[in-house]
Amino acid sequence: MKNYFSFENLNNKENISSDEKNVIFHNMLNTIRTGDLLLCTDSFSELISIFKHEKYYIVHKLLIYKGKEAILKGDIFKVSKGELVEFIKKSIDTDDMREFLITPITTSKNKEVLYLTEDLYYLYGC
């Protein structure tokens, strides 16, 4: 499977090591699978107030499966709140929205993950 999507509109993104990518991604996936659905909306503007932290992880949710194990083929980056919001708005406006997982970079035990699709946006928490 080829991944031709790039995050070229995120100018100040920070790369993540391969080991970190897997841990971060599986933690996000676990939050979606076991957490509570806190919000479902088709309006991104309803989510703007949720972005309260300065830095976030953003994942292009492109998966393959080996048996029951999900393997991430999309990219993951650290990005600032302002740039992330602008990136998502631009993706929506240009009809280039993909499936993204987004979570704040925080030491809090409370976990929240935004799961963005082309049409709907979900907030999960645990």
Side-chain angles (χ1 to χ4, degrees):
M1 176 187 299
K2 298 278 185 199
N3 178 12
Y4 296 109
F5 181 77
S6 73
F7 283 90
E8 64 187 31
N9 290 325
L10 284 176
N11 298 320
N12 298 311
K13 59 188 175 275
E14 296 176 44
N15 290 318
I16 309 291
S17 72
S18 293
D19 292 336
E20 267 188 303
K21 279 183 185 182
N22 288 324
V23 170
I24 293 164
F25 168 69
H26 284 286
N27 284 340
M28 293 170 82
L29 202 56
N30 189 51
T31 299
I32 289 172
R33 288 180 176 160
T34 63
D36 297 320
L37 179 61
L38 305 175
L39 176 68
C40 177
T41 182
D42 62 356
S43 171
F44 182 70
S45 60
E46 286 184 37
L47 297 177
I48 301 287
S49 64
I50 292 171
F51 293 96
K52 295 179 179 159
H53 298 276
E54 289 305 310
K55 290 279 193 173
Y56 289 81
Y57 292 115
I58 181 168
V59 176
H60 177 206
K61 187 179 174 266
L62 182 62
L63 305 176
I64 64 169
Y65 286 87
K66 191 171 188 175
K68 291 184 179 184
E69 182 184 359
I71 299 169
L72 179 66
K73 289 297 187 178
D75 290 323
I76 178 171
F77 296 102
K78 286 182 190 177
V79 66
S80 70
K81 171 178 67 175
E83 191 166 13
L84 174 63
V85 170
E86 288 307 311
F87 171 78
I88 295 167
K89 285 181 181 178
K90 188 171 186 174
S91 294
I92 293 167
D93 291 344
T94 60
D95 255 354
D96 194 26
M97 192 63 178
R98 308 297 170 105
E99 287 190 35
F100 296 118
L101 300 177
I102 298 168
T103 192
I105 299 173
T106 179
T107 57
S108 172
K109 292 192 186 273
N110 296 333
K111 295 184 170 119
E112 288 186 336
V113 175
L114 280 169
Y115 175 30
L116 308 182
T117 67
E118 291 180 17
D119 302 318
L120 291 171
Y121 316 112
Y122 306 91
L123 175 64
Y124 290 89
C126 64

